[in-house]
Amino acid sequence: MRPHSLKEVAERTRGDPDWDHHLREFLDQFYGADGDLDQQFSMIAEDPGFVDDERADAFLGGVGEHLARRWHLPEIPEWVRQERRYLDWPMFYPDDPTVRRFLVAVAPPAFRVRLIFTGPDPLQRARFPYHRGVVEFPVR
């Protein structure tokens, strides 16, 4: 069964450190609720706590903020601004030196402020609501 909240993602990560897998499963649930802003907000609203992996804790903060902003949810949860949700050194996702400059240029603000550099719409999944549009790097 997929996690229904970021809190469940953190709980599962504390038992199995594959946070990226748990997050992807959560995103499928989140996008399955597309259009129900209250339900989607409830999925990110509760403080998930920390998983004691600096990268995962910061990334979860970025996810909570990004989802709230990207999908125009009623508010941004306060927990995303906890000091431990920010890195002191850059993280590139994916960590491929050939795309680092691109990632620095296109990372969404919720990730960039945490020194997490990723693609312009980093949380795309099979259930992603593509009918709402995607963020793409502008080509001149």
Side-chain angles (χ1 to χ4, degrees):
M1 188 150 159
R2 293 184 175 122
H4 292 342
S5 68
L6 285 178
K7 183 175 181 175
E8 286 184 39
V9 169
E11 289 169 356
R12 289 178 187 204
T13 299
R14 286 188 278 276
D16 168 15
D18 190 1
W19 62 271
D20 189 47
H21 167 76
H22 303 302
L23 178 60
R24 289 190 311 266
E25 292 287 302
F26 162 75
L27 291 170
D28 287 339
Q29 285 295 115
F30 183 87
Y31 297 139
D34 182 47
D36 186 340
L37 301 182
D38 291 333
Q39 180 182 354
Q40 286 181 305
F41 180 71
S42 73
M43 297 170 88
I44 67 167
E46 192 172 357
D47 183 346
F50 297 101
V51 300
D52 293 324
D53 175 327
E54 292 171 338
R55 294 174 355 125
D57 288 331
F59 204 88
L60 286 175
V63 169
E65 182 176 344
H66 180 72
L67 291 175
R69 289 182 186 281
R70 175 73 168 88
W71 304 110
H72 307 287
L73 300 184
E75 61 185 283
I76 298 171
E78 287 295 318
W79 65 265
V80 305
R81 291 190 171 69
Q82 295 166 333
E83 188 174 331
R84 287 178 57 190
R85 301 280 177 201
Y86 297 85
L87 296 175
D88 293 326
W89 67 94
M91 171 183 167
F92 294 89
Y93 192 77
D95 191 12
D96 180 347
T98 63
V99 297
R100 283 187 174 182
R101 288 184 180 176
F102 170 77
L103 299 178
V104 167
V106 300
F111 292 99
R112 185 179 304 143
V113 72
R114 291 172 171 79
L115 299 181
I116 299 170
F117 301 101
T118 189
D121 232 337
L123 305 178
Q124 290 182 6
R125 297 281 300 148
R127 288 190 170 197
F128 188 88
Y130 287 98
H131 66 280
R132 290 179 175 254
V134 295
V135 177
E136 296 178 0
F137 187 67
V139 179
R140 288 185 173 200

